[in-house]
Amino acid sequence: MDKNHRYEFKLAGYADIGDAGVYVVDFWPKRSSADFKGRLYINIEDFAVMRLDFTNTQRLRNFRLLGITYRETLYKGTMRFAKLPNGKYELQFMELADGKFFGVDRPLKVVEKNKHVKGRRKQNELKLNIDFQMNVTSKWELVVFNQDNIAESEFKSFKEDKTVKATYMPRYDAEFWKGYTIMEPNQAIRGFTAEEED
């Protein structure tokens, strides 16, 4: 959104986020040079962006050569910001979905040659046609439960704990989040079930 001259903006209405009133502003590309459309929620008092919903309007990457195709087809998400006691806003929640397509559609010929004979050395030939397609959609969610200011030296000397593993959850489990009261899950989160393919 740093190239705002590429976008059209329209006030779509007003809403509340927590105790704050917000302007609801839709945006979309003026020309095909901009990649996204979406909605901004802007604080009425200090004009801070409190929420951003966005999705791509065109493929972000499109590569095709010799029957090999790669496309980045989906990039959409939501970002919510919370006001800190010092008056600044920090990221509180982010949801991001990323979709890619990969395909191969081309002939393939394998020829076995015999080096120990004169004349035509072709011994065996195998002709194939490869037609392979794959769509992958990944989804990430980030929730910031709390945050502390630290010194730059502490940040630089921080060592990542690589023994911590992510917990795979195919559906929402209220017991897993027991004790965390910062955000009440919405109906979409409560009803979430991972799709399992055969």
Side-chain angles (χ1 to χ4, degrees), residues 32-196:
S32 61
S33 60
D35 299 323
F36 296 96
K37 67 178 180 179
R39 178 168 276 189
L40 294 162
Y41 297 82
I42 301 171
N43 191 309
I44 290 173
E45 293 179 9
D46 57 12
F47 302 107
V49 175
M50 297 189 70
R51 179 175 168 169
L52 167 64
D53 298 333
F54 62 91
T55 186
N56 61 306
T57 56
Q58 58 187 356
R59 294 177 187 147
L60 300 178
R61 194 165 282 152
N62 193 13
F63 171 81
R64 186 178 180 115
L65 181 66
L66 301 174
I68 297 170
T69 305
Y70 172 77
R71 298 182 190 125
E72 292 183 5
T73 55
L74 176 69
Y75 193 82
K76 72 174 185 176
T78 296
M79 301 172 78
R80 284 186 234 149
F81 301 89
K83 191 172 188 177
L84 299 177
N86 64 6
K88 293 185 177 181
Y89 286 81
E90 293 287 340
L91 184 66
Q92 181 186 37
F93 173 80
M94 182 173 69
E95 178 182 78
L96 185 64
D98 183 22
K100 295 179 174 61
F101 170 84
F102 176 74
V104 178
D105 185 7
R106 58 169 291 122
L108 178 68
K109 183 163 79 170
V110 179
V111 177
E112 179 187 13
K113 292 186 177 180
N114 188 340
K115 297 179 182 177
H116 306 292
V117 294
K118 293 182 178 179
R120 268 183 83 198
R121 297 187 302 173
K122 182 166 72 171
Q123 190 170 351
N124 292 314
E125 183 177 49
L126 176 66
K127 290 184 178 181
L128 304 169
N129 188 45
I130 299 173
D131 189 0
F132 170 79
Q133 295 181 356
M134 178 175 66
N135 273 307
V136 178
T137 302
S138 303
K139 185 176 180 181
W140 296 273
E141 289 185 359
L142 169 72
V143 179
V144 178
F145 290 108
N146 74 26
Q147 50 192 308
D148 296 316
N149 289 330
I150 60 172
E152 185 176 351
S153 58
E154 188 179 350
F155 175 78
K156 287 183 177 178
S157 64
F158 178 78
K159 299 286 185 223
E160 180 184 358
D161 182 2
K162 296 188 178 182
T163 61
V164 176
K165 301 287 183 191
T167 303
Y168 173 74
M169 301 185 74
R171 63 187 52 82
Y172 175 73
D173 180 8
E175 290 299 312
F176 182 83
W177 297 103
K178 202 167 191 177
Y180 294 104
T181 57
I182 189 167
M183 184 182 297
E184 174 69 19
N186 62 22
Q187 188 59 39
I189 294 173
R190 285 195 198 104
F192 173 79
T193 302
E195 294 178 15
E196 295 183 14

